[in-house]
């Protein structure tokens, strides 16, 4: 290695490293709303299938939806929450249920 290459290498290695100020992404709650027509068993099935909950947790959330009018299915980043809402709505439509799902900023 000649002197010129050695000096270039020193310059490169001594450059200050840039610091990036990153922020955590905003989180969104996926909320399922109660209605008088969708069977409770279907709501549990949706919670297990789409949100990956076990049957006990899915049943607890389903009872919240039924008794309180809505229930939080999970908290995700925007894109994931949007996808989950879309999956719920498509599954409900496919089974001809009027189940509603939305997302709210956490």
């Amino acid at each position: 290695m000649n002197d010129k290459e050695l000096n270039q290498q020193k310059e490169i290695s001594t450059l200050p490293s840039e610091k990036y100020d990153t922020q955590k992404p905003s989180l969104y709650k996926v909320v399922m709303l109660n209605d008088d027509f969708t069977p409770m068993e279907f709501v549990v099935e949706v919670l297990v299938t789409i949100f990956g909950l076990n049957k006990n947790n899915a049943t607890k959330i389903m009872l919240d939806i039924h008794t309180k009018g809505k229930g939080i299915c999970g908290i995700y980043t925007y894109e994931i929450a949007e996808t989950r809402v879309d999956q719920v709505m498509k599954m409900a439509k496919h089974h001809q249920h009027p189940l509603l799902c939305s997302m709210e900023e956490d």
Side-chain angles (χ1 to χ4, degrees):
M1 205 183 279
N2 63 32
D3 287 339
K4 185 177 179 182
E5 289 175 345
L6 190 58
N7 285 339
Q8 286 177 342
Q9 189 176 17
K10 283 181 183 177
E11 285 179 30
I12 291 172
S13 64
T14 58
L15 290 175
S17 62
E18 292 184 37
K19 251 190 171 175
Y20 296 100
D21 187 26
T22 58
Q23 297 176 351
K24 291 185 177 182
S26 298
L27 297 177
Y28 293 81
K29 296 183 271 190
V30 176
V31 179
M32 210 175 289
L33 305 173
N34 187 42
D35 65 70
D36 294 332
F37 304 101
T38 304
M40 292 182 198
E41 296 80 19
F42 179 74
V43 174
V44 171
E45 181 184 342
V46 168
L47 291 166
V48 169
T49 304
I50 294 175
F51 296 94
L53 300 174
N54 63 42
K55 203 159 188 158
N56 287 336
N57 287 340
T59 302
K60 288 177 187 175
I61 293 172
M62 179 273 298
L63 290 172
D64 278 348
I65 296 166
H66 183 69
T67 58
K68 298 176 183 175
K70 67 180 183 177
I72 299 171
C73 305
I75 300 174
Y76 306 96
T77 58
Y78 182 85
E79 292 81 9
I80 295 172
E82 185 178 45
T83 301
R84 295 284 196 263
V85 169
D86 186 55
Q87 290 173 326
V88 170
M89 299 302 288
K90 284 180 179 175
M91 189 171 174
K93 185 177 181 179
H94 178 76
H95 289 88
Q96 299 178 345
H97 295 301
L99 182 63
L100 294 177
C101 189
S102 63
M103 53 192 261
E104 302 172 355
E105 195 162 5
D106 190 31

